[in-house]
Amino acid sequence: MLYIHPCLSLLRPAILGLLLLFALAGMAQQKPVIKPTAPPDTTIAADTTRRFEDRVMQNLRDLSERKTIMGKLLNAILVFDPKDEVLNLDAELIEREYEQHNYKIVRNIRVIPLDAFGYSINDTTRVPQNWFEKTGNFFHAKTKRNLIRNKLLFERDQPLEPLALVESERLLRQTDYILDARIIVDERTTTDDSLDVIVVTKDVFSLGGSGSFTPSSGAGRLTVRELNFLGLGHQPEITYRFNQAAPRPWEFAGRYSIENIGRSYITADLAYINENYYQERSAFLHRDFYATNTRYAGAVGISQIEERILLPPTNSDTIPQFGNLGYTRRDAWFGRAFKFKTYNLGYEPRGRLIMGLRVIDTNYKTIPTENFQSNQLYLGSIGYSVRKYYKDRYLFGFGRTEDIPAGSIVSVTTGYENGALINRRYLGASVAYAYYRSHIGYAFGNVSYGSFLNDGVWEQGMLQLQTLYFTKLYEHGNWKLRHYIQGRATFGLNRNPEELLTINNNDGLRGFNSIMLRGSKRITLNYEANLYTPFSFLGFKLATVAFADVAWLSSGNKANPINDKPYTGFGLGFRFRNEYLSFSTIQILLSFYPRLPSNEDISSFKVYEASRPYYDFTDFRFERPGVAEFK
């Protein structure tokens, strides 16, 4: 497979044309040798039947070996050796492999951070070979060793706890600025009571951004982000929009995150957003149940938000009606996990009993209707979670190692709202389960319910069901195919009139955007096929996608969305991604919508760019107690 270095992404079209031109020229300059009396040469015959792309590759290889300026250039930007790949890694097997080392003393921890370009996580002897790789690394701040050590769940001169190696590797791999990680026990120096550990990580090029521009209006957007500022793990991000429509031509959003402060796994998040119809100022400190063995989690923060929300439309409305909403919210929660006692030394049960308490104080300054009241909400929850992870590739990435969460979680939440106008109770419950096998695929299911109880009347309730299935990875040579199927249903029960659902974009139909189309009950079905091609230009791998979406939407407590004619969307597109860069996946999609709302002027065809993935995993970590979110 041909690989062209990611540093040259801006020159992609010109370089691709030149490469193909030189390759074809090389093929045209080959003169056949005529041997009338000789028997047919089977070697030559086999060569003429080779695929066209193989002959192009061979000519590019031959040109790169020449001692000319063009040969040196091709040798600098092309890599013909395919990268080694390991698919369908079973984390449970790896865990059992390390069980023999449980409770041994960790003598030494050797950390090997690798730069973004020219290195391999599986071959630490590989080094940058050309000017472009070296230049890319020059402008990249490599992750500090101490930052990686702070992520580890084991320490020097301390016993190695069960799951510490596997969980540490997963946590490193899920870090935004790390592409992949391997944690290895050095078997050469291991003894019966102690061991040495080697930690190898490979960075992504952490400086990235995105942008857009509309020539007809002159409006545009520019986003710049740094996932690992100065190699310290700080993450600033700035977005600026210009030449916007009324009331103001510009918009600004800034965010700053500091993760794992003082090896406490506490993250600080700051946000300042100043847009036309949404303003936010917020500051939070939070710590999640980041690993199976985590005992404590919690958060504390404050936010001030002013936004414009859509008021309930009627069937005859052609102009949307909006209302202003402004409030200050203080939020704090604390959680504690308990593991069951086991008498099997060296075995770590994955099940955890978890309890959490949360207090939310909301003070409304501006309300669009009388259905909003300042309140203090007290919530408590208890749950049982079992989680484990498997390793695979070509799920949401383009070849990097991905951790697939599986397991189950059951939780019950109860609470009391002390409001300025009324007081009421809250009750909610949720059950989720996921199963994964490399030869079958991944299956996930979730059922959740939540509602307030006011004087014997259930109100602002919600019932939600969700399923997700993706098949195993089908491979044919260097081509890979995977199918995704998702079903979701959300039913609002006695919701307030301004609490409405949409089928826009990720909520239903990809690329669809309607202001007027709203409802209180929604059912969606989504199908997608991803074909990963062997083509890799300038480090950007290419995948094709085909999809079909179906959505039903209705209003009223007694309305059944299935009785209405569904809205549908069908489409094709391309996805590009460079795993070594911090840029999001680039998606260019063409969609067709056969049915459209009668009171809006929306085109049946749409070509659009998207970066957010349509599907995502649900981790089985216990989260803060909360009210079921209706969206």
Side-chain angles (χ1 to χ4, degrees), residues 15-33:
I15 292 182
L16 293 182
L18 288 173
L19 294 182
L20 185 59
L21 179 62
F22 277 99
L24 294 177
M27 294 171 60
Q29 292 174 2
Q30 293 179 355
K31 297 182 179 181
V33 179

Side-chain angles (χ1 to χ4, degrees), residues 212-222 239-252 274 276:
S212 62
F213 180 74
T214 304
S216 59
S217 64
R221 174 187 58 84
L222 179 64
T239 297
Y240 181 76
R241 298 177 185 268
F242 53 90
N243 291 338
Q244 300 295 301
R248 191 181 60 196
W250 61 270
E251 295 179 336
F252 176 84
N274 190 353
N276 278 326

Side-chain angles (χ1 to χ4, degrees), residues 230-298:
L230 298 179
L232 300 174
H234 294 207
Q235 300 181 355
E237 177 180 322
I238 294 177
T239 297
Y240 181 76
R241 298 177 185 268
F242 53 90
N243 291 338
Q244 300 295 301
R248 191 181 60 196
W250 61 270
E251 295 179 336
F252 176 84
R255 296 177 175 85
Y256 199 97
S257 295
I258 306 174
E259 66 162 15
N260 196 17
I261 301 173
R263 201 176 184 180
S264 63
Y265 269 91
I266 295 176
T267 297
D269 291 326
L270 302 174
Y272 173 79
I273 303 174
N274 190 353
E275 299 176 353
N276 278 326
Y277 302 114
Y278 184 86
Q279 290 86 39
E280 176 185 342
R281 298 169 180 82
S282 62
F284 279 89
L285 292 172
H286 61 89
R287 185 180 194 260
D288 302 324
F289 287 106
Y290 54 89
T292 304
N293 290 331
T294 305
R295 293 188 296 171
Y296 301 99

Side-chain angles (χ1 to χ4, degrees), residues 506-552:
N506 282 32
D507 293 328
L509 308 183
R510 269 164 276 209
F512 186 79
N513 188 14
S514 168
I515 299 178
M516 307 299 298
L517 191 59
R518 296 290 192 273
S520 59
K521 292 182 173 64
R522 178 184 62 207
I523 298 176
T524 61
L525 295 175
N526 311 102
Y527 165 78
E528 179 179 306
N530 277 357
L531 178 63
Y532 299 92
T533 74
F535 306 119
S536 176
F537 299 120
L538 302 179
F540 285 85
K541 295 183 179 180
L542 170 66
T544 62
V545 57
F547 61 87
D549 302 324
V550 184
W552 291 267

Side-chain angles (χ1 to χ4, degrees), residues 508-512 525-527 545-551 566-573 589-595 604-608:
L509 308 183
R510 269 164 276 209
F512 186 79
L525 295 175
N526 311 102
Y527 165 78
V545 57
F547 61 87
D549 302 324
V550 184
Y567 292 88
T568 56
F570 307 93
L572 298 169
L589 305 174
L590 169 64
S591 297
F592 170 64
Y593 312 104
R595 183 190 177 197
S604 296
F605 290 91
K606 184 176 183 180
V607 178
Y608 62 99

Side-chain angles (χ1 to χ4, degrees), residues 424-473:
R424 53 185 181 170
R425 289 176 289 169
Y426 178 81
L427 180 64
S430 177
V431 178
Y433 175 79
Y435 175 86
Y436 171 78
R437 288 294 182 271
S438 60
H439 62 284
I440 297 176
Y442 174 85
F444 167 81
N446 170 251
V447 179
S448 60
Y449 172 82
S451 180
F452 285 95
L453 181 61
N454 181 21
D455 291 334
V457 178
W458 296 96
E459 59 186 20
Q460 284 189 281
M462 186 196 73
L463 174 64
Q464 188 174 65
L465 300 92
Q466 181 181 1
T467 61
L468 173 63
Y469 172 73
F470 60 74
T471 66
K472 69 176 184 179
L473 186 67

Side-chain angles (χ1 to χ4, degrees), residues 298-598:
V300 61
I302 184 173
S303 60
Q304 294 180 344
I305 296 177
E306 296 179 7
E307 60 181 324
R308 189 179 73 166
I309 66 172
L310 180 69
L311 297 179
T314 62
N315 293 331
S316 59
D317 284 343
T318 58
I319 300 177
Q321 303 295 324
F322 296 93
N324 294 322
L325 178 66
Y327 59 91
T328 299
R329 176 167 292 165
R330 299 172 180 84
D331 193 348
W333 82 281
F334 176 79
R336 175 71 161 91
F338 302 88
K339 68 177 180 180
F340 295 100
K341 190 174 183 179
T342 177
Y343 296 96
N344 184 357
L345 186 62
Y347 171 74
E348 183 74 7
R350 290 184 175 272
R352 294 293 186 273
L353 179 68
I354 306 173
M355 293 185 290
L357 296 173
R358 184 182 182 188
V359 179
I360 309 171
D361 177 59
T362 305
N363 182 23
Y364 288 99
K365 299 179 180 179
T366 307
I367 58 175
T369 69
E370 297 300 323
N371 293 319
F372 296 85
Q373 65 165 352
S374 298
N375 65 84
Q376 295 81 42
L377 181 61
Y378 307 93
L379 296 169
S381 62
I382 183 171
Y384 180 75
S385 171
V386 178
R387 54 175 169 158
K388 51 188 176 182
Y389 298 87
Y390 298 87
K391 298 179 186 179
D392 206 340
R393 296 187 179 183
Y394 294 99
L395 298 165
F396 305 117
F398 281 63
R400 60 182 172 84
T401 305
E402 300 177 67
D403 296 282
I404 304 174
S408 59
I409 184 171
V410 179
S411 65
V412 177
T413 302
T414 184
Y416 182 79
E417 179 184 8
N418 181 22
L421 302 176
I422 60 173
N423 300 328
R424 53 185 181 170
R425 289 176 289 169
Y426 178 81
L427 180 64
S430 177
V431 178
Y433 175 79
Y435 175 86
Y436 171 78
R437 288 294 182 271
S438 60
H439 62 284
I440 297 176
Y442 174 85
F444 167 81
N446 170 251
V447 179
S448 60
Y449 172 82
S451 180
F452 285 95
L453 181 61
N454 181 21
D455 291 334
V457 178
W458 296 96
E459 59 186 20
Q460 284 189 281
M462 186 196 73
L463 174 64
Q464 188 174 65
L465 300 92
Q466 181 181 1
T467 61
L468 173 63
Y469 172 73
F470 60 74
T471 66
K472 69 176 184 179
L473 186 67
Y474 298 94
E475 300 185 69
H476 180 73
N478 291 327
W479 299 78
K480 299 174 177 62
L481 175 67
R482 199 186 293 272
H483 302 271
Y484 301 78
I485 302 173
Q486 179 177 251
R488 293 172 292 175
T490 302
F491 301 97
L493 308 173
N494 277 341
R495 305 298 303 193
N496 293 330
E498 63 274 1
E499 296 176 316
L500 300 170
L501 300 170
T502 76
I503 57 173
N504 293 343
N505 210 5
N506 282 32
D507 293 328
L509 308 183
R510 269 164 276 209
F512 186 79
N513 188 14
S514 168
I515 299 178
M516 307 299 298
L517 191 59
R518 296 290 192 273
S520 59
K521 292 182 173 64
R522 178 184 62 207
I523 298 176
T524 61
L525 295 175
N526 311 102
Y527 165 78
E528 179 179 306
N530 277 357
L531 178 63
Y532 299 92
T533 74
F535 306 119
S536 176
F537 299 120
L538 302 179
F540 285 85
K541 295 183 179 180
L542 170 66
T544 62
V545 57
F547 61 87
D549 302 324
V550 184
W552 291 267
L553 192 66
S554 66
S555 300
N557 288 327
K558 297 183 179 180
N560 186 351
I562 297 296
N563 293 334
D564 297 333
K565 185 178 179 180
Y567 292 88
T568 56
F570 307 93
L572 298 169
F574 299 94
R575 286 179 177 153
F576 305 90
R577 184 174 180 87
N578 190 322
E579 296 287 7
Y580 300 102
L581 302 178
S582 61
F583 298 105
S584 302
T585 300
I586 301 172
Q587 302 181 83
I588 302 175
L589 305 174
L590 169 64
S591 297
F592 170 64
Y593 312 104
R595 183 190 177 197
L596 297 171
S598 58

